Amino acid sequence: GRPDWGLEPGQKAEDEKGAPFCTMLDTRLAVRLVVAQCCYYAAAAAQAKFVPPHPDAKSAPPVVGVVGCGQLGTQLLRSLLALGWPPNLLAACSRNEQNFEKFRKAGVQCTTDAAKLAAWDQGAGGCRCIILCVPHAQLRGVCTALTGARGRGISRTVVVSTVAGVHYRKLRQLLPRCPQIVRTRLDIRAVKERSAFLAASDPGPHA
């Protein structure tokens, strides 16, 4: 289906002329807004009560795990690092190791297995916050991996979805063991207006 950037059922995804809003958005501005929301949720999750790792665990789980290292996931990880998050408290997950190699070198814990984010090492807990930055087509597979992870990690995790067009009810179906699910939201009209304002304010190269 088409992306609707989090519109609720019944809310129109077209303007008065019938053009889809998503084709009019400043993509960079939209990414920045979603990243800002994710950083807020990550900070809030970090304040949750600490759950000690299992004695057999090789290392404590990261606080925040980002699934998907495309444009959005990469920008989110960069922003968290820029905000001062210690690299070892962050995790990056991608099916392609090349996508997170630069973060691995920076000290971020990396994996190709999304389930590990919910069951770190011996399955005795996972990230406090897992942020889904994957394409719509990969969401079901990622949620299946998280749900099937060992232990109670996913039940203690806040899952933040940035996936366009997937509403809360569907996320609840895909993640039945996770009681704490959040969706990022964009006010399409506000983004359009902000983009238009920035374009009008830009003096251009010859100003």
Side-chain angles (χ1 to χ4, degrees):
R2 58 161 179 75
D4 61 10
W5 295 87
L7 297 176
E8 295 296 345
Q11 185 177 356
K12 293 184 178 180
E14 298 180 349
D15 67 359
E16 294 78 3
K17 296 181 181 180
F21 277 138
C22 58
T23 65
M24 297 180 162
L25 290 178
D26 180 332
T27 303
R28 290 171 298 178
L29 177 59
V31 167
R32 289 199 298 270
L33 290 172
V34 172
V35 165
Q37 292 180 55
C38 291
C39 288
Y40 171 82
Y41 292 129
Q47 304 304 313
K49 181 179 179 181
F50 175 70
V51 179
H54 191 276
D56 295 333
K58 298 177 183 178
S59 63
V63 174
V64 177
V66 178
V67 185
C69 294
Q71 179 185 13
L72 179 58
T74 294
Q75 185 59 47
L76 174 56
L77 286 164
R78 287 174 178 168
S79 296
L80 290 170
L81 290 169
L83 287 170
W85 280 76
N88 66 303
L89 296 185
L90 302 176
C93 176
S94 176
R95 298 186 301 180
N96 187 343
E97 293 188 15
Q98 293 181 345
N99 291 343
F100 58 59
E101 187 57 32
K102 54 185 174 293
F103 295 113
R104 189 201 299 276
K105 293 179 179 178
V108 174
Q109 304 190 61
C110 300
T111 179
T112 57
D113 183 8
K116 186 173 182 180
L117 301 182
W120 204 253
D121 287 331
Q122 300 299 322
C127 300
R128 300 189 201 180
C129 180
I130 296 176
I131 304 174
L132 308 180
C133 300
V134 297
H136 190 287
Q138 296 179 19
L139 179 63
R140 182 177 296 275
V142 169
C143 290
T144 298
L146 293 174
T147 300
R150 297 173 301 169
R152 295 194 300 161
I154 193 64
S155 66
R156 297 172 172 173
T157 298
V158 175
V159 174
V160 180
S161 173
T162 68
V163 184
V166 180
H167 302 290
Y168 181 76
R169 292 188 299 276
K170 184 62 176 179
L171 292 169
R172 293 288 299 162
Q173 294 174 4
L174 294 173
L175 293 165
R177 293 178 55 202
C178 181
Q180 303 166 107
I181 301 172
V182 180
R183 292 174 57 231
T184 56
R185 295 288 304 278
L186 282 181
D187 185 329
I188 303 299
R189 196 170 299 279
V191 173
K192 284 181 58 184
E193 292 173 353
R194 179 63 175 170
S195 298
F197 171 78
L198 292 175
S201 302
D202 185 358
H206 303 294

